[in-house]
Amino acid sequence: MSDYRFLKACWGEPVDRTPVWLMRQAGRYLPQYMAVRSKVTFLELCKTPELAAEVTIQPIDYLGADAAILFSDILTPVEPMGLKLDFVPGPVFEKPVRTQADVDALRIPVMEEDVPYVLETIRILRREFEGRVPLIGFGGAPFTLACYMVEGKGSKDFAHIKRMMYAAPEVYAALMDKITEMDRQYLNAQIAAGAQAIQIFDTWGGIVSPSDYEKYILPYTTKLINGLNRTGVPIIHFVKGAGTMLDLVKRAGSDVVGLDWHINLGKARNLLGSEVAVQGNLDPTVLYAPPAHIEREVQRILDENGGRPGHIFNLGHGILPTVPPEHAKFMVECVHRLSSKG
């Protein structure tokens, strides 16, 4: 296990070539994924361990990536808190959380009883991947989960969650405390089931000012990370849109900081320092470009890193559903070829 180049890079150790994987690498851009997805709903796919494992394995077979990420959804553990979830096609909660009574009604799930399919998928994948690639488990950061729970769905202005933050701070704090504890138990259950790294996705963490991030988001993410059983398990913290406040993101205490494509990777490394690894950060739309352009962009990011240990190549957000799969495969091949020290 300790020989996986992905895990070595997470710990800032030298590797023979830069490891690479893609956020959302199990997904709609792959015809083999769509073949499985055509037979079940998205939630059924998430809740059927054999199928979730199958689509997790598909991109490893096709891309040759250096790590696999569990196929699931960040909202999976929120549903058993007491919120009915549907995908139409994006996530929608039937009754959003808006009041203290709504917060009080939420329960902390018992993970082995309420989301056993997630843990069984991890166990299947550990057996399948042993000696091949490590498995990344994941969850949403407390703030991003709160955004969905309070807004009820995706949002352009996030008016409801921000109104709660500013006008009902005690309700916001009670909600964030409950989500953080749920998240801690959920991610620790993934680690216990065999996840070899954990990625925390804060998709909406960048919608606030740096001062509001420090006040309303950072304390909960820090509490979550500090509460994880992380001995030997690196924690990756990805906050989309956080290029202007990486100093705050670093304070949350993760081993790896994920970077979106809005910041120069070299500058980010200089700011974060050598004690933190980084992951990123190709613009996902570059995968629409011709191969020569993809290769130039891969080389640019490798050059920005400057050969420093502790770099995991990834996109700056999830791969887009309409990307030609052969372009994603070519990108992985470019990373391996251009970074190889052999």
PDB file of all heavy atoms in Angstrom, residues 225-259:
ATOM      1  N   ILE A 225     -11.759  17.912   9.872  1.00  0.00           N
ATOM      2  CA  ILE A 225     -10.463  17.298   9.557  1.00  0.00           C
ATOM      3  C   ILE A 225      -9.776  16.809  10.830  1.00  0.00           C
ATOM      4  O   ILE A 225      -9.214  15.710  10.865  1.00  0.00           O
ATOM      5  CB  ILE A 225      -9.579  18.290   8.765  1.00  0.00           C
ATOM      6  CG1 ILE A 225     -10.179  18.512   7.370  1.00  0.00           C
ATOM      7  CG2 ILE A 225      -8.148  17.782   8.652  1.00  0.00           C
ATOM      8  CD1 ILE A 225      -9.500  19.586   6.544  1.00  0.00           C
ATOM      9  N   ASN A 226      -9.841  17.611  11.879  1.00  0.00           N
ATOM     10  CA  ASN A 226      -9.221  17.205  13.150  1.00  0.00           C
ATOM     11  C   ASN A 226      -9.898  15.982  13.765  1.00  0.00           C
ATOM     12  O   ASN A 226      -9.288  15.274  14.571  1.00  0.00           O
ATOM     13  CB  ASN A 226      -9.259  18.365  14.146  1.00  0.00           C
ATOM     14  CG  ASN A 226      -8.272  19.465  13.802  1.00  0.00           C
ATOM     15  OD1 ASN A 226      -7.322  19.241  13.056  1.00  0.00           O
ATOM     16  ND2 ASN A 226      -8.499  20.649  14.334  1.00  0.00           N
ATOM     17  N   GLY A 227     -11.149  15.739  13.379  1.00  0.00           N
ATOM     18  CA  GLY A 227     -11.893  14.624  13.950  1.00  0.00           C
ATOM     19  C   GLY A 227     -11.785  13.332  13.163  1.00  0.00           C
ATOM     20  O   GLY A 227     -12.422  12.329  13.533  1.00  0.00           O
ATOM     21  N   LEU A 228     -10.998  13.328  12.112  1.00  0.00           N
ATOM     22  CA  LEU A 228     -10.876  12.123  11.290  1.00  0.00           C
ATOM     23  C   LEU A 228      -9.755  11.216  11.799  1.00  0.00           C
ATOM     24  O   LEU A 228      -8.736  11.695  12.295  1.00  0.00           O
ATOM     25  CB  LEU A 228     -10.617  12.509   9.828  1.00  0.00           C
ATOM     26  CG  LEU A 228     -11.743  13.289   9.151  1.00  0.00           C
ATOM     27  CD1 LEU A 228     -11.383  13.587   7.695  1.00  0.00           C
ATOM     28  CD2 LEU A 228     -13.076  12.543   9.219  1.00  0.00           C
ATOM     29  N   ASN A 229      -9.969   9.922  11.654  1.00  0.00           N
ATOM     30  CA  ASN A 229      -8.958   8.927  12.031  1.00  0.00           C
ATOM     31  C   ASN A 229      -7.960   8.814  10.881  1.00  0.00           C
ATOM     32  O   ASN A 229      -7.988   7.868  10.105  1.00  0.00           O
ATOM     33  CB  ASN A 229      -9.634   7.575  12.315  1.00  0.00           C
ATOM     34  CG  ASN A 229     -10.672   7.685  13.406  1.00  0.00           C
ATOM     35  OD1 ASN A 229     -10.536   8.481  14.333  1.00  0.00           O
ATOM     36  ND2 ASN A 229     -11.731   6.896  13.308  1.00  0.00           N
ATOM     37  N   ARG A 230      -7.084   9.796  10.794  1.00  0.00           N
ATOM     38  CA  ARG A 230      -6.295   9.981   9.578  1.00  0.00           C
ATOM     39  C   ARG A 230      -4.890   9.397   9.648  1.00  0.00           C
ATOM     40  O   ARG A 230      -4.063   9.690   8.777  1.00  0.00           O
ATOM     41  CB  ARG A 230      -6.227  11.459   9.236  1.00  0.00           C
ATOM     42  CG  ARG A 230      -5.684  12.329  10.372  1.00  0.00           C
ATOM     43  CD  ARG A 230      -6.000  13.780  10.155  1.00  0.00           C
ATOM     44  NE  ARG A 230      -5.151  14.397   9.145  1.00  0.00           N
ATOM     45  CZ  ARG A 230      -4.938  15.705   9.055  1.00  0.00           C
ATOM     46  NH1 ARG A 230      -5.513  16.520   9.915  1.00  0.00           N
ATOM     47  NH2 ARG A 230      -4.164  16.196   8.122  1.00  0.00           N
ATOM     48  N   THR A 231      -4.606   8.540  10.618  1.00  0.00           N
ATOM     49  CA  THR A 231      -3.278   7.926  10.675  1.00  0.00           C
ATOM     50  C   THR A 231      -3.046   7.091   9.413  1.00  0.00           C
ATOM     51  O   THR A 231      -3.750   6.116   9.159  1.00  0.00           O
ATOM     52  CB  THR A 231      -3.152   7.024  11.919  1.00  0.00           C
ATOM     53  OG1 THR A 231      -3.420   7.808  13.086  1.00  0.00           O
ATOM     54  CG2 THR A 231      -1.760   6.436  12.009  1.00  0.00           C
ATOM     55  N   GLY A 232      -2.087   7.519   8.619  1.00  0.00           N
ATOM     56  CA  GLY A 232      -1.794   6.806   7.377  1.00  0.00           C
ATOM     57  C   GLY A 232      -2.768   7.085   6.255  1.00  0.00           C
ATOM     58  O   GLY A 232      -2.648   6.506   5.173  1.00  0.00           O
ATOM     59  N   VAL A 233      -3.754   7.945   6.486  1.00  0.00           N
ATOM     60  CA  VAL A 233      -4.782   8.258   5.483  1.00  0.00           C
ATOM     61  C   VAL A 233      -4.726   9.753   5.176  1.00  0.00           C
ATOM     62  O   VAL A 233      -5.172  10.573   5.986  1.00  0.00           O
ATOM     63  CB  VAL A 233      -6.192   7.866   5.991  1.00  0.00           C
ATOM     64  CG1 VAL A 233      -7.259   8.250   4.976  1.00  0.00           C
ATOM     65  CG2 VAL A 233      -6.254   6.372   6.295  1.00  0.00           C
ATOM     66  N   PRO A 234      -4.176  10.144   4.036  1.00  0.00           N
ATOM     67  CA  PRO A 234      -4.086  11.569   3.724  1.00  0.00           C
ATOM     68  C   PRO A 234      -5.458  12.178   3.444  1.00  0.00           C
ATOM     69  O   PRO A 234      -6.346  11.523   2.897  1.00  0.00           O
ATOM     70  CB  PRO A 234      -3.197  11.608   2.471  1.00  0.00           C
ATOM     71  CG  PRO A 234      -3.340  10.250   1.859  1.00  0.00           C
ATOM     72  CD  PRO A 234      -3.559   9.299   2.999  1.00  0.00           C
ATOM     73  N   ILE A 235      -5.607  13.435   3.838  1.00  0.00           N
ATOM     74  CA  ILE A 235      -6.850  14.174   3.632  1.00  0.00           C
ATOM     75  C   ILE A 235      -6.602  15.244   2.562  1.00  0.00           C
ATOM     76  O   ILE A 235      -5.682  16.060   2.693  1.00  0.00           O
ATOM     77  CB  ILE A 235      -7.329  14.845   4.935  1.00  0.00           C
ATOM     78  CG1 ILE A 235      -7.397  13.831   6.082  1.00  0.00           C
ATOM     79  CG2 ILE A 235      -8.676  15.531   4.709  1.00  0.00           C
ATOM     80  CD1 ILE A 235      -8.309  12.655   5.854  1.00  0.00           C
ATOM     81  N   ILE A 236      -7.434  15.218   1.523  1.00  0.00           N
ATOM     82  CA  ILE A 236      -7.377  16.214   0.445  1.00  0.00           C
ATOM     83  C   ILE A 236      -8.547  17.172   0.642  1.00  0.00           C
ATOM     84  O   ILE A 236      -9.691  16.739   0.809  1.00  0.00           O
ATOM     85  CB  ILE A 236      -7.484  15.539  -0.936  1.00  0.00           C
ATOM     86  CG1 ILE A 236      -6.447  14.424  -1.089  1.00  0.00           C
ATOM     87  CG2 ILE A 236      -7.339  16.572  -2.059  1.00  0.00           C
ATOM     88  CD1 ILE A 236      -6.725  13.493  -2.266  1.00  0.00           C
ATOM     89  N   HIS A 237      -8.277  18.447   0.613  1.00  0.00           N
ATOM     90  CA  HIS A 237      -9.304  19.472   0.847  1.00  0.00           C
ATOM     91  C   HIS A 237      -9.397  20.338  -0.406  1.00  0.00           C
ATOM     92  O   HIS A 237      -8.457  21.059  -0.739  1.00  0.00           O
ATOM     93  CB  HIS A 237      -8.910  20.303   2.077  1.00  0.00           C
ATOM     94  CG  HIS A 237      -9.880  21.363   2.450  1.00  0.00           C
ATOM     95  ND1 HIS A 237      -9.507  22.465   3.199  1.00  0.00           N
ATOM     96  CD2 HIS A 237     -11.209  21.528   2.202  1.00  0.00           C
ATOM     97  CE1 HIS A 237     -10.559  23.234   3.393  1.00  0.00           C
ATOM     98  NE2 HIS A 237     -11.595  22.696   2.790  1.00  0.00           N
ATOM     99  N   PHE A 238     -10.527  20.256  -1.091  1.00  0.00           N
ATOM    100  CA  PHE A 238     -10.708  20.998  -2.342  1.00  0.00           C
ATOM    101  C   PHE A 238     -11.818  22.024  -2.162  1.00  0.00           C
ATOM    102  O   PHE A 238     -12.973  21.672  -1.937  1.00  0.00           O
ATOM    103  CB  PHE A 238     -11.051  20.041  -3.484  1.00  0.00           C
ATOM    104  CG  PHE A 238     -11.412  20.734  -4.773  1.00  0.00           C
ATOM    105  CD1 PHE A 238     -10.468  21.480  -5.457  1.00  0.00           C
ATOM    106  CD2 PHE A 238     -12.688  20.627  -5.305  1.00  0.00           C
ATOM    107  CE1 PHE A 238     -10.788  22.122  -6.657  1.00  0.00           C
ATOM    108  CE2 PHE A 238     -13.020  21.267  -6.494  1.00  0.00           C
ATOM    109  CZ  PHE A 238     -12.072  22.015  -7.165  1.00  0.00           C
ATOM    110  N   VAL A 239     -11.447  23.299  -2.239  1.00  0.00           N
ATOM    111  CA  VAL A 239     -12.415  24.385  -2.151  1.00  0.00           C
ATOM    112  C   VAL A 239     -12.436  25.104  -3.493  1.00  0.00           C
ATOM    113  O   VAL A 239     -11.490  25.799  -3.858  1.00  0.00           O
ATOM    114  CB  VAL A 239     -12.052  25.390  -1.031  1.00  0.00           C
ATOM    115  CG1 VAL A 239     -13.161  26.429  -0.887  1.00  0.00           C
ATOM    116  CG2 VAL A 239     -11.826  24.670   0.290  1.00  0.00           C
ATOM    117  N   LYS A 240     -13.513  24.913  -4.252  1.00  0.00           N
ATOM    118  CA  LYS A 240     -13.606  25.568  -5.560  1.00  0.00           C
ATOM    119  C   LYS A 240     -13.747  27.080  -5.366  1.00  0.00           C
ATOM    120  O   LYS A 240     -14.502  27.548  -4.530  1.00  0.00           O
ATOM    121  CB  LYS A 240     -14.822  25.027  -6.324  1.00  0.00           C
ATOM    122  CG  LYS A 240     -14.938  25.547  -7.752  1.00  0.00           C
ATOM    123  CD  LYS A 240     -16.011  24.780  -8.502  1.00  0.00           C
ATOM    124  CE  LYS A 240     -16.139  25.292  -9.932  1.00  0.00           C
ATOM    125  NZ  LYS A 240     -16.923  26.539 -10.007  1.00  0.00           N
ATOM    126  N   GLY A 241     -12.966  27.835  -6.142  1.00  0.00           N
ATOM    127  CA  GLY A 241     -13.037  29.282  -6.076  1.00  0.00           C
ATOM    128  C   GLY A 241     -12.261  29.911  -4.937  1.00  0.00           C
ATOM    129  O   GLY A 241     -12.502  31.059  -4.572  1.00  0.00           O
ATOM    130  N   ALA A 242     -11.304  29.168  -4.380  1.00  0.00           N
ATOM    131  CA  ALA A 242     -10.593  29.659  -3.184  1.00  0.00           C
ATOM    132  C   ALA A 242      -9.193  30.175  -3.488  1.00  0.00           C
ATOM    133  O   ALA A 242      -8.374  30.312  -2.574  1.00  0.00           O
ATOM    134  CB  ALA A 242     -10.516  28.545  -2.146  1.00  0.00           C
ATOM    135  N   GLY A 243      -8.906  30.479  -4.751  1.00  0.00           N
ATOM    136  CA  GLY A 243      -7.553  30.908  -5.111  1.00  0.00           C
ATOM    137  C   GLY A 243      -7.079  32.149  -4.400  1.00  0.00           C
ATOM    138  O   GLY A 243      -5.874  32.349  -4.220  1.00  0.00           O
ATOM    139  N   THR A 244      -8.012  32.985  -3.937  1.00  0.00           N
ATOM    140  CA  THR A 244      -7.621  34.227  -3.252  1.00  0.00           C
ATOM    141  C   THR A 244      -7.488  34.041  -1.739  1.00  0.00           C
ATOM    142  O   THR A 244      -7.164  35.001  -1.032  1.00  0.00           O
ATOM    143  CB  THR A 244      -8.657  35.335  -3.505  1.00  0.00           C
ATOM    144  OG1 THR A 244      -9.937  34.894  -3.012  1.00  0.00           O
ATOM    145  CG2 THR A 244      -8.766  35.653  -4.985  1.00  0.00           C
ATOM    146  N   MET A 245      -7.763  32.832  -1.238  1.00  0.00           N
ATOM    147  CA  MET A 245      -7.698  32.637   0.211  1.00  0.00           C
ATOM    148  C   MET A 245      -7.093  31.290   0.577  1.00  0.00           C
ATOM    149  O   MET A 245      -7.515  30.639   1.529  1.00  0.00           O
ATOM    150  CB  MET A 245      -9.086  32.808   0.841  1.00  0.00           C
ATOM    151  CG  MET A 245     -10.197  32.027   0.181  1.00  0.00           C
ATOM    152  SD  MET A 245     -11.818  32.508   0.869  1.00  0.00           S
ATOM    153  CE  MET A 245     -12.897  31.423  -0.053  1.00  0.00           C
ATOM    154  N   LEU A 246      -6.066  30.894  -0.158  1.00  0.00           N
ATOM    155  CA  LEU A 246      -5.418  29.612   0.107  1.00  0.00           C
ATOM    156  C   LEU A 246      -4.746  29.589   1.476  1.00  0.00           C
ATOM    157  O   LEU A 246      -4.585  28.526   2.071  1.00  0.00           O
ATOM    158  CB  LEU A 246      -4.407  29.290  -0.992  1.00  0.00           C
ATOM    159  CG  LEU A 246      -4.989  28.934  -2.360  1.00  0.00           C
ATOM    160  CD1 LEU A 246      -3.877  28.691  -3.364  1.00  0.00           C
ATOM    161  CD2 LEU A 246      -5.897  27.708  -2.271  1.00  0.00           C
ATOM    162  N   ASP A 247      -4.353  30.751   1.970  1.00  0.00           N
ATOM    163  CA  ASP A 247      -3.764  30.789   3.304  1.00  0.00           C
ATOM    164  C   ASP A 247      -4.769  30.330   4.354  1.00  0.00           C
ATOM    165  O   ASP A 247      -4.417  29.647   5.323  1.00  0.00           O
ATOM    166  CB  ASP A 247      -3.273  32.207   3.628  1.00  0.00           C
ATOM    167  CG  ASP A 247      -4.356  33.262   3.466  1.00  0.00           C
ATOM    168  OD1 ASP A 247      -5.254  33.097   2.607  1.00  0.00           O
ATOM    169  OD2 ASP A 247      -4.320  34.277   4.189  1.00  0.00           O
ATOM    170  N   LEU A 248      -6.058  30.665   4.152  1.00  0.00           N
ATOM    171  CA  LEU A 248      -7.103  30.226   5.068  1.00  0.00           C
ATOM    172  C   LEU A 248      -7.412  28.744   4.878  1.00  0.00           C
ATOM    173  O   LEU A 248      -7.588  28.005   5.854  1.00  0.00           O
ATOM    174  CB  LEU A 248      -8.381  31.052   4.856  1.00  0.00           C
ATOM    175  CG  LEU A 248      -8.265  32.547   5.144  1.00  0.00           C
ATOM    176  CD1 LEU A 248      -9.553  33.265   4.767  1.00  0.00           C
ATOM    177  CD2 LEU A 248      -7.949  32.777   6.626  1.00  0.00           C
ATOM    178  N   VAL A 249      -7.477  28.311   3.623  1.00  0.00           N
ATOM    179  CA  VAL A 249      -7.749  26.901   3.328  1.00  0.00           C
ATOM    180  C   VAL A 249      -6.672  26.026   3.969  1.00  0.00           C
ATOM    181  O   VAL A 249      -6.961  24.967   4.546  1.00  0.00           O
ATOM    182  CB  VAL A 249      -7.833  26.666   1.814  1.00  0.00           C
ATOM    183  CG1 VAL A 249      -7.940  25.180   1.490  1.00  0.00           C
ATOM    184  CG2 VAL A 249      -9.024  27.425   1.218  1.00  0.00           C
ATOM    185  N   LYS A 250      -5.426  26.466   3.886  1.00  0.00           N
ATOM    186  CA  LYS A 250      -4.320  25.705   4.476  1.00  0.00           C
ATOM    187  C   LYS A 250      -4.529  25.523   5.974  1.00  0.00           C
ATOM    188  O   LYS A 250      -4.204  24.466   6.541  1.00  0.00           O
ATOM    189  CB  LYS A 250      -2.998  26.416   4.207  1.00  0.00           C
ATOM    190  CG  LYS A 250      -1.784  25.728   4.823  1.00  0.00           C
ATOM    191  CD  LYS A 250      -0.506  26.512   4.582  1.00  0.00           C
ATOM    192  CE  LYS A 250       0.684  25.842   5.264  1.00  0.00           C
ATOM    193  NZ  LYS A 250       1.939  26.594   5.033  1.00  0.00           N
ATOM    194  N   ARG A 251      -5.095  26.533   6.642  1.00  0.00           N
ATOM    195  CA  ARG A 251      -5.287  26.471   8.102  1.00  0.00           C
ATOM    196  C   ARG A 251      -6.247  25.364   8.528  1.00  0.00           C
ATOM    197  O   ARG A 251      -6.245  24.949   9.686  1.00  0.00           O
ATOM    198  CB  ARG A 251      -5.765  27.820   8.617  1.00  0.00           C
ATOM    199  CG  ARG A 251      -4.622  28.816   8.820  1.00  0.00           C
ATOM    200  CD  ARG A 251      -5.108  30.224   9.062  1.00  0.00           C
ATOM    201  NE  ARG A 251      -6.171  30.313  10.072  1.00  0.00           N
ATOM    202  CZ  ARG A 251      -6.860  31.426  10.313  1.00  0.00           C
ATOM    203  NH1 ARG A 251      -6.588  32.534   9.628  1.00  0.00           N
ATOM    204  NH2 ARG A 251      -7.803  31.437  11.229  1.00  0.00           N
ATOM    205  N   ALA A 252      -7.067  24.873   7.596  1.00  0.00           N
ATOM    206  CA  ALA A 252      -7.995  23.790   7.948  1.00  0.00           C
ATOM    207  C   ALA A 252      -7.245  22.508   8.293  1.00  0.00           C
ATOM    208  O   ALA A 252      -7.791  21.635   8.966  1.00  0.00           O
ATOM    209  CB  ALA A 252      -8.979  23.546   6.818  1.00  0.00           C
ATOM    210  N   GLY A 253      -6.004  22.369   7.806  1.00  0.00           N
ATOM    211  CA  GLY A 253      -5.159  21.283   8.281  1.00  0.00           C
ATOM    212  C   GLY A 253      -5.087  20.037   7.426  1.00  0.00           C
ATOM    213  O   GLY A 253      -4.638  18.995   7.910  1.00  0.00           O
ATOM    214  N   SER A 254      -5.481  20.123   6.161  1.00  0.00           N
ATOM    215  CA  SER A 254      -5.399  18.937   5.305  1.00  0.00           C
ATOM    216  C   SER A 254      -3.954  18.656   4.898  1.00  0.00           C
ATOM    217  O   SER A 254      -3.076  19.510   5.027  1.00  0.00           O
ATOM    218  CB  SER A 254      -6.259  19.126   4.046  1.00  0.00           C
ATOM    219  OG  SER A 254      -5.752  20.183   3.247  1.00  0.00           O
ATOM    220  N   ASP A 255      -3.728  17.444   4.379  1.00  0.00           N
ATOM    221  CA  ASP A 255      -2.407  17.063   3.889  1.00  0.00           C
ATOM    222  C   ASP A 255      -2.182  17.531   2.455  1.00  0.00           C
ATOM    223  O   ASP A 255      -1.053  17.769   2.032  1.00  0.00           O
ATOM    224  CB  ASP A 255      -2.252  15.537   3.957  1.00  0.00           C
ATOM    225  CG  ASP A 255      -2.503  15.019   5.359  1.00  0.00           C
ATOM    226  OD1 ASP A 255      -1.689  15.313   6.248  1.00  0.00           O
ATOM    227  OD2 ASP A 255      -3.536  14.344   5.579  1.00  0.00           O
ATOM    228  N   VAL A 256      -3.281  17.624   1.708  1.00  0.00           N
ATOM    229  CA  VAL A 256      -3.245  18.028   0.300  1.00  0.00           C
ATOM    230  C   VAL A 256      -4.297  19.109   0.091  1.00  0.00           C
ATOM    231  O   VAL A 256      -5.420  18.987   0.590  1.00  0.00           O
ATOM    232  CB  VAL A 256      -3.550  16.839  -0.647  1.00  0.00           C
ATOM    233  CG1 VAL A 256      -3.385  17.254  -2.107  1.00  0.00           C
ATOM    234  CG2 VAL A 256      -2.675  15.635  -0.315  1.00  0.00           C
ATOM    235  N   VAL A 257      -3.942  20.157  -0.644  1.00  0.00           N
ATOM    236  CA  VAL A 257      -4.900  21.202  -1.000  1.00  0.00           C
ATOM    237  C   VAL A 257      -5.209  21.070  -2.486  1.00  0.00           C
ATOM    238  O   VAL A 257      -4.298  21.123  -3.323  1.00  0.00           O
ATOM    239  CB  VAL A 257      -4.355  22.606  -0.682  1.00  0.00           C
ATOM    240  CG1 VAL A 257      -5.274  23.682  -1.253  1.00  0.00           C
ATOM    241  CG2 VAL A 257      -4.206  22.789   0.831  1.00  0.00           C
ATOM    242  N   GLY A 258      -6.484  20.866  -2.812  1.00  0.00           N
ATOM    243  CA  GLY A 258      -6.905  20.825  -4.209  1.00  0.00           C
ATOM    244  C   GLY A 258      -7.032  22.228  -4.760  1.00  0.00           C
ATOM    245  O   GLY A 258      -7.505  23.138  -4.065  1.00  0.00           O
ATOM    246  N   LEU A 259      -6.616  22.403  -6.009  1.00  0.00           N
ATOM    247  CA  LEU A 259      -6.621  23.724  -6.652  1.00  0.00           C
ATOM    248  C   LEU A 259      -7.524  23.706  -7.874  1.00  0.00           C
ATOM    249  O   LEU A 259      -7.456  22.772  -8.685  1.00  0.00           O
ATOM    250  CB  LEU A 259      -5.204  24.105  -7.089  1.00  0.00           C
ATOM    251  CG  LEU A 259      -4.116  24.101  -6.010  1.00  0.00           C
ATOM    252  CD1 LEU A 259      -2.747  24.290  -6.657  1.00  0.00           C
ATOM    253  CD2 LEU A 259      -4.377  25.193  -4.975  1.00  0.00           C
TER     254      LEU A 259
END
